Amino acid sequence: MSDHEYPESSLVEHLIELRARLVRAIIGLLVVLLLLLPFSRTIYTWLAEPLISQLPNGQTMIATNPAGAFFAPLKLTFFVAVFVAVPWLLYQLWSFVAPGLYAREKRLAVPLLVSSVLLFYLGCAFAYFLVLPAVFHFLTTFRPEVIAITPDANAYLDFVLAIFFAFGSSFELPVAMVILVLLGWVTPQQFKDSRGYAVVGIFIVAAVLTPPDVVSQLLLAIPMCVLYELGIHAARWLVPSSVVKPAG
């Protein structure tokens, strides 16, 4: 029996199921948030380490907004809770849509979903452990001596979150390439033949997404070039030759 051959459910039943999944997702997120709240100051201190380590001894951040010192750690804790709860949130989404998929669609969707989560985590880890220390070292080393760096807590948080999102989403490149091949819009060979254009495009994207310094641009562009090659090989491996013909 096909996965699609099941008794039709009414719209109301689907809405009830959707509501149940949303409630479970929100409850899971709230549980993670409540568990992390007691550590909000520690989490912010950990996030600030790449910059604080580059500042003169004894120098810390400031809060130009009186409430900034209070809300910045809370804001960060919420984003960390979402970050940690992503597998649970995606599981709820998957549980809702999976009954309507064919067996083959499920077999392809599961590795793509898992890979996308792992690649996003990898991109964020790469940004924290390699990119941020290199960027802040570059910025603090080449600043004029008459300029003192007194970073604002909220501005720093917004900057770091933007970096995490840029690197996390950029590391999704192989998954996006496989999806395009699965849809029949492109073939792995076309990706290979367009490598030169892709490299130029990657450097343009890196220049747009990163701060205006060559260090962060190179640290995003080079991994993306590697991931582009990985995407070509992943598409060849995961997608049967019978479905790699471009549409049209």
Side-chain angles (χ1 to χ4, degrees):
M1 178 183 252
S2 168
D3 286 0
H4 284 283
E5 295 177 6
Y6 54 83
E8 292 186 2
S9 299
S10 67
L11 177 60
V12 174
E13 291 174 330
H14 283 296
L15 291 176
I16 292 174
E17 173 67 13
L18 177 60
R19 184 184 65 178
R21 293 297 173 184
L22 287 174
V23 169
R24 292 173 187 173
I26 293 173
I27 291 175
L29 176 60
L30 289 177
V31 169
V32 175
L33 179 60
L34 291 174
L35 291 175
L36 291 177
L37 277 177
F39 307 99
S40 57
R41 290 186 296 178
T42 302
I43 295 172
Y44 194 94
T45 301
W46 174 76
L47 185 73
E49 179 59 27
L51 176 57
I52 297 300
S53 64
Q54 302 298 326
L55 296 178
N57 289 335
Q59 186 173 343
T60 58
M61 295 186 183
I62 62 173
T64 55
N65 185 324
F70 175 76
F71 284 110
L74 291 182
K75 180 180 176 181
L76 173 60
T77 304
F78 172 76
F79 280 103
V80 172
V82 174
F83 183 82
V84 172
V86 161
W88 172 252
L89 301 177
L90 290 178
Y91 171 75
Q92 296 304 320
L93 175 63
W94 172 254
S95 298
F96 179 72
V97 302
L101 300 178
Y102 289 106
R104 180 181 174 276
E105 292 171 340
K106 291 181 181 179
R107 287 196 301 269
L108 290 174
V110 170
L112 288 176
L113 197 61
V114 173
S115 299
S116 65
V117 174
L118 293 179
L119 285 171
F120 189 86
Y121 284 166
L122 179 62
C124 293
F126 183 84
Y128 179 80
F129 290 105
L130 294 178
V131 177
L132 291 179
V135 169
F136 292 138
H137 177 74
F138 175 83
L139 295 177
T140 55
T141 300
F142 292 97
R143 67 176 175 86
E145 293 294 332
V146 295
I147 300 178
I149 299 179
T150 54
D152 175 69
N154 274 301
Y156 173 78
L157 176 58
D158 293 339
F159 173 82
V160 172
L161 290 178
I163 291 292
F164 282 170
F165 180 79
F167 277 81
S169 57
S170 297
F171 272 51
E172 301 287 340
L173 181 59
V175 176
M177 294 171 65
V178 170
I179 291 175
L180 289 176
V181 173
L182 283 171
L183 293 174
W185 294 357
V186 193
T187 66
Q189 185 61 40
Q190 288 175 327
F191 277 129
K192 182 178 179 180
D193 295 339
S194 302
R195 183 183 287 114
Y197 298 103
V199 171
V200 174
I202 285 171
F203 274 87
I204 293 174
V205 170
V208 172
L209 293 180
T210 58
D213 67 277
V214 67
V215 175
S216 58
Q217 292 171 10
L218 288 175
L219 287 176
L220 178 57
I222 293 175
M224 284 187 69
C225 290
V226 175
L227 290 168
Y228 185 85
E229 296 297 323
L230 177 63
I232 295 175
H233 293 292
R236 285 176 171 170
W237 180 59
L238 288 175
V239 184
S241 59
S242 58
V243 298
V244 298
K245 296 179 181 179

